[in-house]
Amino acid sequence: MPKHLRTALAAATAAALAGGLLTLTAGPAAAAGSGLQGDFNGDGYRDLAVSAPGATVAGHKDAGAVTILYGSATGVSAGRHATFTQDTTGVQGAAETGDMFGLATSAGDFNSDGYADLAVSAPYEDVSGDADGGTVQILWGAAGGITRTATVPDPAPTKHDRFGNALAAGDFDGDKKSDLAVGTTSATLRVLKGGFSTAGVPAAKAAVKLPILGRSDAGIRTLTAGLVNGDGRTDLVVNGFQETPQGDNHYDANYYLPGSGSGPSTSGMRKLPAGIITAIGDTDGDGYGDLVTGVHWDDSVPGSTKGGKVNVIYGSASGPTSRMDTITQETGAVPGNSERGDVFGYEVSLGDIDGDGRQDLAIGAGGEDIDGVADTGAVTVLRGSPSGIDTAHGVQYFHQDTPGVPGASEKTDFFGGEVFLSDIDGDSKADLTVGASYENDGNGSVVSLLSDGSRIGTAGARSVAPSAVGVPTTGQPQFGSFVTG
């Protein structure tokens, strides 16, 4: 069973990827940026950024690659894409062993030109003699797609390792510009203010000290941005380790930081139940964002349960409330059974599949066994409702033996190791993208399932393999490990 890549950050075996690769086959350029989230080429369709952090580049193992799949009226396909490595012309730096370019990504319009940009980290990059110092680059959106990048200056070099360990974009101060929150192995959050120059320099920067454990094997592990309290400023959930009262161990912790005029603030900060991956969205239509966190461990961590679970914490004008629903594979009409190693809640994502104004929930269980096939993986889709996430009605369940879903259930595919809900065909309904990062012995793949207007369907379903977008499959690139847009 693979550890969570967002926290293990180290284990991909490599693939052979030719140096200097840039494959770009996009449609006609848009006249101006659409201003749409995740629309990197400004054509009015959201795009997908798909990471292959274990890709080998010019013989450099685990150097990493990121592929942009451009959206269209029929969704995404391998036919319109661009693949980037640190050996790609226009990308800063050079591909090196173990950099893991693409291990964290986040989309936002950082220079306010109407085109979405993509922040990409290589957290294990050595920088000026600083081992694993880490770098963050911005891949600038433009008409016709991404063609240039800039390196974001590290505001505190040598004060930490793995700059870019986690990334999240949002308007944290309410000035209508995209800011970038950056995590490292330290306990200090770095916030880079929107209005970035073409050279990657932010308009301003801030540091927020957090009550988590800062050291080489800890620090900030994930960041989740979203609107919770309805004040127009993006709020943030920070995940990290926290020491036990005995001080001899550590365990997982989440903290909610509300947005403010100065950015993410510890004033109003509160601790939340544990869980690595969180999504934020309004599941009950009350105008406040709810926080959905996957607790995928078996019963080895405080608050966890056999097979994994998902916690839904409902939002309000004052932030997260005490109201919380817990979902397992024993809840309501949720398919399956809670079995050790299912990792139900390994990934979660929110999006409005039917356009009713309430966010629906996709839950990945990459370790689910299907008909005796171990760790092939499955995805559960639950609907938002006036009372929150509905576990009794309209439940959908997908795996690679589901009729119409591309592929077949094979051992350790890890289908559901990534899930992402976003509208990639322009009909204002969220579509489902599923990563199967260990498909075909670690090659990986992504499967696209479109909304039919009321639910996720299989008509027009597509699978994109790494070889189809210029990422060779020698080794284990783990294409589809992370998806954003």
Side-chain angles (χ1 to χ4, degrees), residues 19-20 43 52 133 192 205 212 262 266 284-285 291 300 345 404 418 459 468 476 481:
D43 66 355
L192 310 177
K205 55 192 177 184
I212 62 171
S262 59
T266 55
D284 55 9
L291 300 91
S300 59
E418 174 67 309
Q476 292 186 321
S481 294

Side-chain angles (χ1 to χ4, degrees), residues 172-184:
F172 302 114
D173 55 9
D175 67 353
K176 311 303 182 185
K177 297 178 182 178
S178 293
D179 312 311
L180 183 64
V182 183
T184 72

Side-chain angles (χ1 to χ4, degrees), residues 294-313:
V295 188
H296 75 274
W297 309 283
D298 291 312
D299 47 14
S300 59
V301 172
S304 61
T305 190
K306 183 176 73 173
K309 68 180 185 180
V310 171
N311 290 324
V312 183
I313 302 171

Side-chain angles (χ1 to χ4, degrees), residues 101-332:
F101 179 75
L103 198 58
T105 57
S106 191
D109 184 3
F110 299 114
N111 58 358
S112 302
D113 66 352
Y115 296 92
D117 312 306
L118 184 69
V120 180
S121 75
Y124 286 89
E125 174 132 15
D126 296 342
V127 182
S128 302
D130 181 16
D132 297 340
T135 62
V136 174
Q137 295 191 42
I138 296 178
L139 280 61
W140 297 111
I146 293 169
T147 58
R148 62 191 177 92
T149 72
T151 298
V152 177
D154 185 342
T158 74
K159 300 296 184 183
H160 54 250
D161 286 319
R162 302 204 300 267
F163 182 64
N165 206 38
L167 300 172
D171 180 12
F172 302 114
D173 55 9
D175 67 353
K176 311 303 182 185
K177 297 178 182 178
S178 293
D179 312 311
L180 183 64
V182 183
T184 72
T185 56
S186 79
T188 300
L189 175 72
R190 304 291 171 176
V191 182
L192 310 177
K193 299 297 183 71
F196 284 73
S197 72
T198 56
V201 178
K205 55 192 177 184
V208 183
K209 180 72 174 177
L210 299 166
I212 62 171
L213 188 62
R215 68 186 196 195
S216 62
D217 62 346
I220 296 169
R221 303 193 299 164
T222 65
L223 295 166
T224 305
L227 298 170
V228 177
N229 61 13
D231 68 354
R233 301 184 181 105
T234 306
D235 308 307
L236 192 67
V237 173
V238 180
N239 172 270
F241 281 130
Q242 189 167 56
E243 289 185 303
T244 65
Q246 294 77 23
D248 59 356
N249 223 326
H250 50 79
Y251 58 89
D252 181 76
N254 283 323
Y255 285 91
Y256 163 78
L257 279 69
S260 73
S262 59
S265 173
T266 55
S267 177
M269 180 177 69
R270 66 190 69 178
K271 189 177 181 181
L272 303 172
I276 293 177
I277 300 302
T278 295
I280 299 174
D282 183 6
T283 67
D284 55 9
D286 66 354
Y288 301 109
D290 309 312
L291 300 91
V292 179
T293 300
V295 188
H296 75 274
W297 309 283
D298 291 312
D299 47 14
S300 59
V301 172
S304 61
T305 190
K306 183 176 73 173
K309 68 180 185 180
V310 171
N311 290 324
V312 183
I313 302 171
Y314 293 93
S316 72
S318 58
T321 67
S322 59
R323 180 189 167 205
M324 183 175 79
D325 291 338
T326 295
I327 303 168
T328 72
Q329 290 181 95
E330 313 295 332
T331 303

